[in-house]
Amino acid sequence: MPAPDPASIPLPLIFGPFDPSGASHLPIDAVICAGLGAHAGTVATAIHVQDTAGVETIQRLPAELIDDQARCLLEDIPIGALKIGPQYDPESIATLAQIAADYSNLPLVLQLSAPPLVPDLEDLDPEETVGALLELLVPQAHLVVVDARLPEQWAGQGLLSSARAGDPVGALHEFGAPLVLCCNAPLGPGLNGLVLHAHDQAGGRWPWPAPRVRTGDAESLLATVLCCLLARGIAPADAIAQAVPAATALLERHFHPGMGQRILRHAAP
């Protein structure tokens, strides 16, 4: 069998915390990418100490190290798209924002999520961290993936201001995000799913399985699939249409390896 043409292999670059349990974020994102025929570069921005039950501590990595590792890869490999997963402090966010600005030709998928409740993050001001996300990263994102409840939570805490009262997703558009894909959004009585809010084009709605594993895993999985498709050169709207069924199928595979929660299974049967 002839070797695949390297030019045909999608090359996403993924920024996020390292989860040693393999339940979410790095390194499982690289496994997901491999299953989709892509080769992921990864840049750790924090290291979790955790098991399948939850996160115990978080070690945030220096911004200089994040910048050095990212630029080392970006200057060596023809990266096709970027994914930025959960970030915990303004310094890391500012560093990633500068990298995204320097490589603004690359599509960026931004996954927004609430940080774990651990003592390591108690020294941080949530208003400053959320403000950095909104002001520095959201304006550069081609696509934002977020649990529908998080923008509402931020608005209730006074962390998300908007000229349109009661419209947290509209606030994300005001910050510059053209596409916001909300997970666990209400589609009807007793039915949740995915809702795409588009600033200047038609949106969309899709059914989405009720999570039987960590909700954050599902969002991270969807964002990773989207990044792989964007790295192939597929337009964002078309990538979303393809990513939803692909991610839905992957959500059906999970197992219970430890004493905590079930996690998604990406290994071959």
Side-chain angles (χ1 to χ4, degrees):
M1 179 179 296
D5 179 5
S8 68
I9 300 175
L11 298 168
L13 180 59
I14 300 176
F15 300 82
F18 182 88
D19 172 0
S21 75
S24 60
H25 312 311
L26 309 183
I28 201 63
D29 281 348
V31 176
I32 296 169
C33 291
L36 297 172
H39 178 86
T42 58
V43 177
T45 56
I47 297 176
H48 288 190
V49 175
Q50 72 172 88
D51 54 20
T52 60
V55 181
E56 295 184 0
T57 63
I58 294 176
Q59 177 66 52
R60 305 192 303 275
L61 296 181
E64 295 81 1
L65 178 62
I66 296 170
D67 186 71
D68 288 346
Q69 182 58 80
R71 294 184 185 278
C72 186
L73 291 173
L74 285 161
E75 293 168 7
D76 175 50
I77 299 172
I79 296 297
L82 308 175
K83 174 199 167 184
I84 296 179
Q87 301 302 317
Y88 304 132
D89 62 85
E91 292 77 16
S92 297
I93 293 167
T95 296
L96 296 179
Q98 186 59 60
I99 294 169
D102 292 343
Y103 291 87
S104 59
N105 59 308
L106 298 178
L108 170 59
V109 179
L110 176 62
Q111 178 198 352
L112 297 177
S113 62
L117 298 176
V118 295
D120 309 79
L121 305 183
E122 290 179 352
D123 62 317
L124 298 173
D125 183 344
E127 186 172 355
E128 291 183 1
T129 302
V130 174
L133 285 169
L134 295 173
E135 295 172 12
L136 300 179
L137 283 179
V138 169
Q140 301 191 66
H142 294 72
L143 172 61
V144 171
V145 179
V146 63
D147 186 287
R149 295 163 294 190
L150 184 60
E152 296 176 357
Q153 176 185 328
W154 285 349
Q157 295 172 339
L159 301 178
L160 184 62
S161 61
S162 171
R164 288 173 283 183
D167 184 11
V169 173
L172 295 179
H173 288 316
E174 290 175 0
F175 277 104
L179 299 172
V180 180
L181 185 59
C182 290
C183 304
N184 305 311
L187 299 182
L191 177 64
N192 287 351
L194 300 174
V195 175
L196 174 64
H197 300 267
H199 189 252
D200 57 358
Q201 57 186 292
R205 296 157 65 90
W206 298 268
W208 186 243
R212 285 179 282 181
V213 294
R214 299 174 186 171
T215 304
D217 293 349
E219 293 160 21
S220 180
L221 167 67
L222 182 58
T224 300
V225 173
L226 284 164
C227 187
C228 286
L229 293 171
L230 293 175
R232 292 185 182 276
I234 299 173
D238 294 332
I240 294 170
Q242 295 182 36
V244 171
T248 300
L250 292 173
L251 282 174
E252 294 301 316
R253 303 177 60 197
H254 46 84
F255 71 125
H256 197 193
M259 296 181 291
Q261 304 178 60
R262 300 185 68 83
I263 64 176
L264 296 178
R265 179 168 66 86
H266 302 292

